[in-house]
Amino acid sequence: MKVEFSAVPKAFSGNVAVFVAADKQLLAAAQGIDASTGGAITRALEAGRFSGAKDQTVTLLGQSGDVARLLLLGVGKGRDLDARAAEGLGGVIAGEANASGHKAVTVVVDAVKGSRLAPAEIAARIALGARLRTYRFDRYKTKDKPEQKLSLEQLTIHVAGPADARRAYQRLEPTVDAVFFTRDLVSEPANVLFPAEFAKRAKDLTKLGVKVEIMGEAEMKKLGMHVLLGVGQGSTRDSQLLVMHWMNGPKTQQPIALIGKGVCFDTGGISIKPAGGMEDMKWDMGGAGAVAGAMHLLAGRKARVNVVGVCALVENMPDGNAQRPGDVVKSMSGQTVEVINTDAEGRLILCDAMWYAQENFKPQAMVELSTLTGAIIVALGHERAGLFSNNTALSNKLRAAGSALGEKLWRMPLGAKYDKLIDSEIADMKNVGGGRDGGSITAAQFLQRFVQEGVAWAHIDIAGVAWSSKGNSTTPKGATAYGVRLLDSWIESTYER
Ligand code: BES
Ligand code: MN
Ligand code: ZN
């Protein structure tokens, strides 16, 4: 789909989308069309419930000679029209056009009173939202019907100051490839995307200037990462440690570390999962996918920062050689772990990845993303990811970045009483707490035992948000790429200004 920005013309034609503000307020474009069609819009507003409220839309067909099809977009009150809402409008426009099989659509961006966004910014966000909406993962469909193909080829956005809009869009556009890169990784089945294949695809980031290192089991063994290696022990696939460097910031800036859980398939291991829904565990690498996508985006927009991404990539399988419940393993940090449940594998691979990152890069901050626990879904559902952190300033920055983008977070507690629950009788700790109670918190407590002094750390449990069975205006159902934009935007707002 091609996107073009141009000045607002006197008259419109074809498939046109225009804004209507709350309480049926027609803005400039709609007023013009209403006048030239003898009040078609006014009549439509009288006939139905559409009032211009946020998220409302209505389509008018065959209203005048030139405007064949008119999509009225409710933008609500001015303050409702923020960046996220503007992206949503773009998504709705693209979705509508593709659903009805149109090749071209024109949208007119009116200034909306009370919105903090300038028209050029609204226009750029509309373009981004439309592009994000057009994602498809259809490479394994050999018989797609023509009506399932995307039809929209051209999106024309009319706005006062198209050059400003173009400039704003340039900053946003690298988001699309990065998000799609992650959605592809997360959508791939596990027979295709196993640890080495994930690493191979991440190697492509070299083209953007990212330095990519890949370590196999032999190297990790030398480093003493036995807790990570224990998880992959039952798999015929080699476990991998993927290390991505984007060092484009000031020489003296201590790097930021991003850590990702990359369980390419999680059967649970010997503590095997029930069959129902197990196919979902192909996306148990969503944290690693988000970290790789964030590196893609930082490099794509040439961010002036130093960031390293470390992803632990494994497959958790039952096997004659698999790790057993009760096994004791030693981590790179020297601490020992009693593996009570082989299905609590995410924390096991992350503890060694986190230690590796801290030992090698001395990060000032370390943010880790993982589809870690079913318990976080019980707590927060699919609306928010769980945030655990030892640092309130870091938490607040992450929460602010997330709420602006629609990648929302909710801060969860940590504390000594929870920490005690993972003490082991025979090792330094065990990998699960007593029962299921507070399951996402005890998981976070486990991770915190591997955070070094002075490191601002956050763990984001994305089990409920990495995959969407519903989708929304800018994200078709399936892989969401949650975290890609959150990490990028947090880094930009904290370290680049
Ligand atoms: N990958 C799962 C968590 C998960 C569940 C992610 C559902 C996405 C959707 C994780 O490895 C796991 O199995 N966690 C266990 C931990 C338990 C054994 C302490 C869980 O949540 O049941
Ligand atoms: Mn598991
Ligand atoms: Zn898992």
Side-chain angles (χ1 to χ4, degrees):
M1 183 184 68
K2 265 183 38 203
V3 177
E4 244 173 55
F5 299 94
S6 67
V8 184
K10 288 243 155 51
F12 313 104
S13 62
N15 296 301
V16 182
V18 293
F19 294 175
V20 177
D23 303 323
K24 307 191 178 182
Q25 256 185 70
L26 301 189
L27 305 174
Q31 275 176 20
I33 293 172
D34 197 44
S36 70
T37 54
I41 300 179
T42 308
R43 277 198 304 282
L45 292 183
E46 279 160 8
R49 275 193 189 141
F50 179 87
S51 69
K54 182 170 154 45
D55 295 335
Q56 275 189 332
T57 59
V58 71
T59 306
L60 310 184
L61 293 168
Q63 292 298 331
S64 81
D66 283 345
V67 177
R69 203 161 184 281
L70 186 61
L71 173 62
L72 304 182
L73 298 165
V75 297
K77 303 232 165 67
R79 66 180 135 76
D80 295 339
L81 188 55
D82 55 14
R84 175 71 206 135
E87 289 173 12
L89 293 175
V92 167
I93 294 165
E96 237 268 341
N98 281 314
S100 24
H102 293 297
K103 283 194 173 156
V105 53
T106 297
V107 53
V108 192
V109 176
D110 286 300
V112 179
K113 229 198 266 157
S115 171
R116 267 185 293 163
L117 293 188
E121 182 70 15
I122 298 175
R125 295 280 169 179
I126 286 178
L128 174 61
R131 298 266 327 263
L132 289 174
R133 173 64 175 265
T134 59
Y135 178 76
R136 287 283 178 289
F137 188 77
D138 54 8
R139 66 179 58 160
Y140 301 116
K141 287 206 176 271
T142 64
K143 320 181 214 220
D144 240 2
K145 300 191 183 81
E147 64 266 28
Q148 289 167 326
K149 293 268 180 236
L150 296 174
S151 60
L152 186 59
E153 289 167 8
Q154 170 82 31
L155 172 63
T156 305
I157 304 179
H158 291 306
V159 60
D164 289 345
R166 229 167 276 133
R167 212 167 305 120
Y169 182 55
Q170 259 169 28
R171 156 68 184 88
L172 297 174
E173 199 180 10
T175 309
V176 179
D177 280 349
V179 164
F180 287 11
F181 176 68
T182 297
R183 288 182 188 168
D184 281 349
L185 290 171
V186 176
S187 303
E188 284 286 13
N191 62 325
V192 174
L193 195 95
F194 44 88
E197 174 64 19
F198 186 121
K200 187 174 148 232
R201 292 194 188 187
K203 191 94 196 173
D204 276 356
L205 298 180
T206 312
K207 290 181 200 139
L208 295 171
V210 178
K211 192 180 119 203
V212 180
E213 279 178 272
I214 299 166
M215 275 175 260
E217 291 181 358
E219 284 151 292
M220 286 191 271
K221 201 165 173 182
K222 273 194 217 131
L223 290 164
M225 305 173 87
H226 303 292
V227 178
L228 186 160
L229 289 169
V231 175
Q233 201 176 292
S235 170
T236 57
R237 313 287 199 182
D238 205 39
S239 300
Q240 310 271 287
L241 189 74
L242 166 67
V243 185
M244 296 162 283
H245 308 249
W246 175 254
M247 302 291 278
N248 196 40
K251 285 257 171 333
T252 54
Q253 183 189 60
Q254 255 180 294
I256 298 142
L258 306 178
I259 316 288
K261 169 179 172 180
V263 178
C264 293
F265 197 81
D266 180 15
T267 63
I270 296 300
S271 314
I272 198 162
K273 288 181 180 297
M278 205 204 274
E279 67 280 6
D280 281 350
M281 288 300 107
K282 75 170 185 183
W283 49 263
D284 206 17
M285 33 58 69
V291 167
M295 300 304 293
H296 192 305
L297 180 44
L298 291 166
R301 67 173 181 82
K302 302 197 164 44
R304 308 282 323 170
V305 280
N306 298 327
V307 181
V308 287
V310 179
C311 295
L313 304 170
V314 303
E315 185 180 56
N316 188 20
M317 298 292 272
D319 178 76
N321 191 45
Q323 172 158 265
R324 291 149 293 258
D327 282 5
V328 174
V329 279
K330 188 169 196 152
S331 68
M332 185 182 176
S333 76
Q335 302 178 90
T336 56
V337 178
E338 182 187 11
V339 179
I340 299 292
N341 188 321
T342 65
D343 196 12
E345 84 296 340
R347 63 202 78 178
L348 299 176
I349 65 171
L350 290 167
C351 74
D352 276 335
M354 285 163 57
W355 199 263
Y356 177 87
Q358 292 168 102
E359 286 292 289
N360 285 276
F361 309 118
K362 302 282 173 240
Q364 52 175 314
M366 174 166 70
V367 176
E368 169 270 314
L369 270 74
S370 47
T371 48
L372 202 64
T373 67
I376 202 69
I377 311 178
V378 176
L380 301 177
H382 304 282
E383 292 304 319
R384 286 177 167 76
L387 168 65
F388 299 83
S389 178
N390 62 1
N391 187 299
T392 297
L394 171 60
S395 293
N396 290 345
K397 280 285 194 182
L398 284 165
R399 290 193 307 120
S403 79
L405 291 164
E407 296 188 356
K408 286 180 273 183
L409 292 162
W410 193 262
R411 191 172 180 185
M412 301 282 288
L414 292 161
K417 289 269 168 61
Y418 296 115
D419 180 74
K420 209 169 153 28
L421 299 173
I422 55 167
D423 284 340
S424 157
E425 298 286 338
I426 71 162
D428 295 331
M429 69 196 90
K430 52 188 181 184
N431 75 331
V432 291
R436 292 192 301 156
D437 301 354
S440 56
I441 308 174
T442 46
Q445 292 295 160
F446 182 96
L447 297 173
Q448 194 174 15
R449 290 197 184 196
F450 297 86
V451 177
Q452 297 180 359
E453 192 68 34
V455 178
W457 156 78
H459 152 58
I460 302 180
D461 193 336
I462 60 170
V465 295
W467 190 269
S468 170
S469 55
K470 294 201 309 261
N472 66 33
S473 53
T474 51
T475 311
K477 64 184 175 200
T480 62
Y482 180 104
V484 172
R485 301 184 63 191
L486 171 67
L487 291 171
D488 171 68
S489 157
W490 159 65
I491 287 171
E492 184 188 33
S493 65
T494 311
Y495 301 99
E496 292 178 81
R497 45 181 92 181

